[in-house]
């Protein structure tokens, strides 16, 4: 991971993309007052998303945001681009399978009204994010999994698709011979897309979708479909998504604590950094334990931080279309 990504490096450790004018707030203000202050220049619309594939995903979201569309429509459209890309081996079509050679997908979506939907362990459906949205909009539930999720998708008109491409199948076959069928967790085999948007109307939404950790045990579900872990949105405060080793993100309720820390006055960057420090504190063995958070607050301020160097995110506004390095706690050994 250290060497394979090309970055536009804006600054060293602790990079924050503060697009709006930061507010100068008095000690007495509540966090809500601080972020809603009239003097703050809010940057909107804005879309941010994880990793290099975020550039194409943002472009998909931007088509909607730039025409005054909603953040919810934008986040769904954005990550659908990644889900359909057969070259991306960690999301949707072309995603690396589990150790049985089966592609299983996790996704969730959350809007400005705290409505949310999720699917986990879903198979043979190219757009889990759209199934998650249907769960949110057409049912009284938040999450459907496995066979039930697939059945629901088929009933809603989604088509069955073989998601295992030749390339991914070949990678899995090579992995099987070399790894003796042991799941490997490392930084090279997982790159979820999490995408957050603030629309022209000032509303936030987020989406997160993945094929999860490559060669995982059959049945394993990561953080990405879990509201509060892989994604959390509170329209009064901000939106957060996570990437990396899902187990570590779930253990600290990752995305929800970043939102809470922003609610209590931290900037997106400070909150992502604090959550990463919590991950580091709670895990004695940090071998290959990459976790990254990406946060967007109500003012259009962005922050991102990871355990190890190498995490980056894409940002698109009227003025900007870039890939930016996240801050990080340590270099890879
Ligand atoms: C998971 N968090 O399944 C996902 C994988 C990931 O970047 O984010 N990769 O654990």
């Amino acid at each position: 991971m250290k060497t394979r990504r090309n970055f536009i490096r804006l600054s060293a450790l602790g990079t924050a993309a503060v697009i709006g004018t930061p507010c100068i707030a008095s000690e007495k203000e509540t966090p809500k007052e601080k972020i809603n202050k009239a003097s703050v220049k809010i940057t909107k619309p804005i879309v941010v998303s994880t990793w290099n594939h975020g550039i194409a995903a943002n472009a998909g979201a931007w088509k909607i945001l730039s025409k005054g569309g909603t953040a919810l429509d934008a986040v769904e459209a954005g990550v659908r681009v990644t889900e359909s890309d057969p070259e991306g081996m960690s999301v949707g079509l072309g995603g690396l399978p589990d150790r049985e050679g089966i592609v299983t997908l996790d996704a969730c979506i959350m809007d400005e009204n705290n409505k949310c939907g999720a699917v986990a362990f879903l198979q043979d459906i190219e757009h889990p994010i759209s199934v998650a949205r249907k769960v949110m909009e057409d049912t009284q539930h938040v999450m459907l999994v496995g066979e039930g999720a697939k059945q629901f998708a088929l009933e809603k008109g989604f088509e069955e698709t073989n998601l295992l491409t030749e390339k991914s199948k070949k990678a899995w076959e090579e992995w099987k011979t070399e790894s003796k069928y042991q799941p490997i967790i490392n930084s090279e085999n997982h790159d979820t897309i999490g995408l957050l948007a603030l629309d022209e109307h000032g509303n936030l939404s987020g989406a997160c979708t993945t094929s999860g950790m490559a060669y995982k045990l059959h049945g394993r579900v990561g953080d990405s479909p879990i509201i509060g872990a892989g994604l959390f949105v509170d329209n009064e405060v901000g939106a957060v998504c996570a990437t990396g080793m899902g187990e570590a993100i779930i253990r600290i309720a990752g995305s929800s604590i970043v939102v809470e820390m922003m609610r209590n006055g931290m900037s997106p960057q400070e909150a992502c950094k604090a959550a990463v420090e919590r991950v580091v504190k709670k895990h004695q063995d940090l071998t290959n334990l990459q976790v990254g958070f990406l946060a967007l607050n109500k003012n259009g301020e962005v922050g991102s931080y990871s355990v190890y160097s190498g995490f980056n995110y894409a940002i698109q506004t009227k003025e900007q279309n870039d890939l930016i390095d996240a801050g990080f706690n340590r270099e890879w050994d």
Side-chain angles (χ1 to χ4, degrees), residues 10-49:
L10 278 197
S11 70
L13 196 75
T15 299
V18 180
I19 314 294
T21 309
C23 89
I24 301 154
S26 82
E27 290 289 306
K28 292 209 179 94
E29 282 171 328
T30 66
K32 191 172 169 192
E33 282 164 349
K34 278 186 207 167
I35 60 177
N36 288 337
K37 248 185 129 178
S39 63
V40 172
K41 180 181 165 285
I42 294 172
T43 299
K44 58 183 188 188
I46 175 170
V47 53
V48 290
S49 58

Side-chain angles (χ1 to χ4, degrees), residues 51 106 190-192 210 212-213 220 222-224 242-247 249:
W51 304 113
D106 296 341
H190 52 87
D191 274 5
T192 295
T210 190
M213 194 180 286
R220 180 263 189 191
D223 61 303
S224 305
T243 180
M245 197 181 289
E247 285 74 2
I249 297 163

